[in-house]
Amino acid sequence: MSQLSVEVPSDVLVVGGGIIGLVTAWRSAQQGLRTAVVDPAPGGGAAQVAAGMLAAVTELHYGEETLLALNLASAARYPSFAAELTEASGEELGYRSCGTLSVALDADDRAHLREVHALQQRSGLASEWLSGRECRRLEPMLAPGVRGGLRAEDDHQIDPRRLAKALVIACERAGVTFHRQWAEKLSVVRDRAVGAVLADGTELGAGQVVLAGGSHSGLLAGLPVDVPVRPVKGQVLRLRIPPSYAPFLQRTVRAVVRGSEVYLVPRENGELVIGATSEEQGYDTTVTAGGVYELLRDAHELIPGITELPLVETRAGLRPGSPDNAPLIGPAELPGLLLATGHHRNGVLLTPVTGDAMAHALTTGELPEAVRPFSPLRFSVPDPLRFSVREGSTV
Ligand code: GLY
């Protein structure tokens, strides 16, 4: 076994420095726990691609009512969370309470949107049905053919890149140690997670290990439990709105066009984010001509004027999808191991509530009441021999 150095154990070792791992580390350090993060590029990952919609209302899907409660709780936490993080890091996050408009382009889209409206109303959410003319009065750049829409004044946005940068700084200021390399393997001794081995052979010991590796979470060597998270690829475009075109859009505009979701998120700094494909392609992050074409085609049907704008970036990221589209938060079956992953389409939205819940779990061993439905144990198969069935699960 290679063993170049042995570090002083931390109380908490977070494997994965995306926004979920970072918020966990920040909150953990604030609780007085000695905390370390393992990631070759902290602040990277899906947050570098995500649009940053805080869309509890307009991303409500059938069968996700339990998740809705968590999404709403996190949306409600956002203003104070953003203020606290800005204070702690000195960084603005681009939080913008702009609202969202979901529109329909044809009769089928309109029928679908009517059903969405009914679901939102049954769920007690605030959304208002508007005619096509009323939609265009709010957003004059909308295509003349828009047939109607839903105005959701509570769905806002944040800039995920700025969020990630701020979390890195807040972690550093709170005393979190960063190990800028890959975690090679989970260390398990006598059926308990006790740390991780890094790519250079360094062994990091820890009282508790948090696995927050996004869509890669299930790939960590040595895991004796299943982490049912898979990559769901999203291709995203970034355009720039020249100052002479502003205000191009006042709020997020979205639609389902021929069964595919498309959204346009205008930032205060002039960036216009257009997303996103949803593809089950394994770990491939290639930007394809087809993906870019479909996004531009659908976005152009909504807002014809986008063809005038400079296209400045195309990128693909991987959402960490779970079997029920909801996150896995809290203690895993293996003692000493906690999960913070599987946030799928809602990682940015769920960052505040995940940080709070993980700090609670790391200090008390329990999840807050509201987060218990998202325990990783909901996917567990009872099997007393489970921890000994995989070769090499201990080091
Ligand atoms: N929440 C937007 C997306 O996942 O595309």
Side-chain angles (χ1 to χ4, degrees):
M1 186 194 311
S2 78
Q3 198 171 317
L4 297 182
S5 64
V6 179
E7 302 266 335
V8 177
S10 48
D11 296 320
V12 175
L13 179 64
V14 181
V15 176
I19 53 174
I20 295 298
L22 290 170
V23 77
T24 300
W26 181 41
R27 293 307 196 195
S28 165
Q30 284 180 321
Q31 296 296 319
L33 300 171
R34 276 171 302 135
T35 304
V37 171
V38 181
D39 193 301
Q48 293 300 316
V49 182
M53 292 180 298
L54 308 176
V57 177
T58 48
E59 289 222 349
L60 174 63
H61 293 102
Y62 289 103
E64 294 183 2
E65 287 78 5
T66 311
L67 178 59
L68 172 65
L70 193 69
N71 286 346
L72 289 172
S74 209
R77 276 285 281 122
Y78 242 102
S80 61
F81 170 82
E84 184 187 352
L85 182 55
T86 295
E87 172 79 23
S89 65
E91 295 287 321
E92 291 296 328
L93 310 180
Y95 179 70
R96 190 173 175 198
S97 49
C98 56
T100 296
L101 185 63
S102 297
V103 300
L105 285 166
D106 61 24
D108 287 347
D109 290 349
R110 191 167 59 177
H112 168 74
L113 210 52
R114 286 279 190 199
E115 284 177 24
V116 170
H117 191 210
L119 176 63
Q120 290 169 345
Q121 290 194 312
R122 282 199 300 280
S123 306
L125 301 173
S127 65
E128 181 191 3
W129 183 264
L130 301 181
S131 67
R133 183 172 302 182
E134 288 169 323
C135 291
R136 281 188 299 280
R137 205 173 296 141
L138 286 180
E139 293 294 349
M141 297 302 284
L142 277 171
V146 163
R147 305 283 292 267
L150 279 177
R151 181 181 189 174
E153 285 303 275
D154 295 334
D155 276 4
H156 305 313
Q157 60 155 298
I158 197 161
D159 185 335
R161 292 178 177 175
R162 297 171 93 177
L163 172 65
K165 182 179 177 201
L167 282 168
V168 171
I169 295 170
C171 281
E172 284 167 346
R173 291 185 178 175
V176 173
T177 304
F178 283 98
H179 299 275
R180 287 180 161 80
Q181 52 178 310
W182 293 109
E184 194 94 331
K185 188 174 186 181
L186 181 72
S187 302
V188 180
V189 173
R190 285 191 289 279
D191 288 347
R192 183 177 178 89
V194 295
V197 182
L198 306 189
D200 71 358
T202 303
E203 290 193 23
L204 298 179
Q208 301 182 83
V209 179
V210 176
L211 181 53
S215 61
H216 291 83
S217 296
L219 302 183
L220 184 65
L223 266 177
V225 293
D226 284 329
V227 179
V229 175
R230 68 184 196 288
V232 182
K233 176 177 172 181
Q235 301 190 46
V236 173
L237 316 177
R238 281 175 163 80
L239 283 62
R240 189 167 48 77
I241 303 170
S244 57
Y245 283 60
F248 189 80
L249 289 177
Q250 306 267 21
R251 54 182 59 67
T252 296
V253 172
R254 55 188 303 159
V256 177
V257 182
R258 289 176 291 272
S260 300
E261 300 211 24
V262 65
Y263 46 78
L264 297 93
V265 182
R267 301 224 195 284
E268 260 157 9
N269 65 5
E271 185 175 77
L272 178 66
V273 185
I274 301 180
T277 63
S278 189
E279 306 163 67
E280 306 265 350
Q281 304 268 9
Y283 289 93
D284 169 48
T285 52
T286 311
V287 174
T288 63
V292 174
Y293 165 72
E294 282 169 27
L295 288 172
L296 285 176
R297 180 196 62 197
D298 294 349
H300 174 255
E301 283 193 37
L302 290 185
I303 311 282
I306 60 157
T307 49
E308 304 293 319
L309 304 178
L311 172 63
V312 293
E313 189 182 313
T314 60
R315 201 151 163 185
L318 299 172
R319 306 176 184 90
S322 74
D324 59 6
N325 296 335
L328 289 79
I329 300 174
E333 235 179 316
L334 179 71
L337 179 68
L338 296 89
L339 304 187
T341 186
H343 291 66
H344 197 213
R345 303 181 71 92
N346 297 303
V348 178
L349 172 61
L350 291 174
T351 295
V353 88
T354 301
D356 295 346
M358 290 302 293
H360 191 89
L362 287 164
T363 49
T364 67
E366 304 279 336
L367 279 173
E369 181 77 32
V371 185
R372 285 191 195 147
F374 307 99
S375 161
L377 303 181
R378 70 190 186 278
F379 297 119
S380 296
V381 181
D383 178 356
L385 299 177
R386 196 174 173 81
F387 297 143
S388 53
V389 293
R390 280 195 202 172
E391 285 278 294
S393 65
T394 60
V395 293

